[in-house]
Every structure is written in C-alpha cells, then in structure tokens.
Amino acid sequence: MLKGAVLAAVPYVLLPSAPARARPRTVDHPNADWLSAHPANYTAGDRPASQSLDYVVIHVTQATYTNTLGIFHNPRKKVSAHYVVRSADGHIAQCVREHDIAWHAGNWDYNTRSVGIEHEGWVDQPGYFTDALYEESARLTASICARYGIPNDRAHIIGHYEVPGTDHTDPGPNWDWERYMRIVNRN
C-alpha cells in the first residue's frame, strides 16, 4: 500500500514516458510512444484507402495527460483520439493508429475523415498551452497533413468546436490559433 501511495505522489513528468514494451514496431509519428486506447473505444479502419483524410481536429482534454490515457484505455468510456500531447514537455502518445477511426469528434462523418489530437489541459487555464506543447503538436499536425495531402490551413485544421453538431468549446478562447498555424506552416 505504501508503494502505491508514494508512486501516486510522484509528479508524472518524473515518470518514464512509456514502458519500452509499449512502443509497437511502428508508430505513425516517429516521436510518439504507443499507449493504445482500448479496442472498444475506436473502430478498425483502412484509411485513407477506405475514406479520405481531410481534417486534423484539435482538442483540449479537460484532464491531465495521465488521466486522459486512462480514459482512452477504459472500455466503458467509448472515446479516444489518435494522439495526446503532454503540456510540460510536448511528449506525444499515440493511442489509435491513423488508419483506424478514433471516436473524438462527436460526429461520425468527421471521425471517419479526421485525425484527432488531444492536448493536456483545460480551456480556461492557458498555462497548459506551453511552448513545448505548441511546438510538438504543430510538428505532429504538419506531418499528418504532409502524409495525407491535407492543406495546412484553418479550413482543414479545425477546433473541436468547429465540428458540426458538437457541443464542445475546445480548444477554447485561450488557444493561440495564429501562433499554432505559423508553427505548422514552418514545419
């Protein structure tokens, strides 16, 4: 019991990013660690052969990095995203392969045609939007766009709030779109 209590008190930034066995032979983004969502939380796919990839959807978790990974691994939650970006250092976890359909957008059509990127933090706490988070996320978005021929523009790199039919507000008013898009386009 004491070991668990001590471990719970260790800040997550001091813990290793992922056990070595967690990385599959290949991930879609070379700087990502594989931390799989539960198979009950996404749909196996064959994208882009079966559906075109037209969007990158930007989210904010409204939770910590660690809690978000736990949610994606819980089969009762029925939610996932392709990637989660940690605030403190921009570390990226890939939870769903890009060819599969993550359940992130709240709109099936957009789920089938997009890659979802969650960012650790809360929409009303801009301190979570660190330089490292912006840099690594923008590098990830640029590489996704390059792989699938998605234009590097705001019509194709969208916030969750821009998905038709959603009731979400993320990434929120504190997300610096101008800065983010500038970094995406320089990569």
Side-chain angles (χ1 to χ4, degrees):
M1 183 73 162
L2 182 56
K3 287 181 186 177
V6 171
L7 184 58
V10 176
Y12 70 85
V13 295
L14 299 178
L15 297 173
S17 59
R21 62 175 168 55
R23 183 183 283 275
R25 281 189 285 164
T26 59
V27 289
D28 296 307
H29 184 67
N31 294 335
D33 280 323
W34 180 250
L35 295 169
S36 180
H38 193 281
N41 292 341
Y42 65 91
T43 301
D46 185 27
R47 303 179 319 164
S50 59
Q51 290 109 348
S52 64
L53 284 166
D54 304 315
Y55 302 101
V56 175
V57 180
I58 303 300
H59 302 269
V60 172
T61 62
Q62 298 297 110
T64 65
Y65 174 87
T66 303
N67 287 349
T68 300
L69 295 173
I71 290 166
F72 291 173
H73 196 69
N74 182 339
R76 295 183 310 251
K77 294 297 186 177
K78 306 297 183 208
V79 67
S80 62
H82 294 91
Y83 296 96
V84 181
V85 182
R86 189 165 54 200
S87 173
D89 58 4
H91 179 80
I92 299 169
Q94 183 170 2
C95 304
V96 176
R97 294 296 305 269
E98 291 173 7
H99 65 255
D100 292 328
I101 302 165
W103 300 348
H104 63 96
N107 174 314
W108 182 248
D109 182 52
Y110 275 71
N111 281 345
T112 64
R113 299 179 356 185
S114 66
V115 173
I117 304 174
E118 287 280 2
H119 298 83
E120 178 184 30
W122 284 261
V123 296
D124 61 348
Q125 295 181 34
Y128 277 91
F129 304 149
T130 63
D131 291 342
L133 178 135
Y134 277 118
E135 289 288 333
E136 294 305 318
S137 175
R139 189 171 292 125
L140 170 61
T141 294
S143 70
I144 292 166
C145 290
R147 271 194 292 285
Y148 301 107
I150 301 170
N152 288 354
D153 61 34
R154 283 285 288 120
H156 296 89
I157 301 168
I158 64 173
H160 193 183
Y161 71 94
E162 295 171 293
V163 173
T166 189
D167 62 353
H168 287 253
T169 62
D170 58 307
N174 294 305
W175 184 260
D176 189 341
W177 279 109
E178 184 177 316
R179 175 184 183 189
Y180 189 72
M181 294 305 298
R182 186 173 55 250
I183 299 168
V184 167
N185 283 298
R186 84 163 186 244
N187 281 297

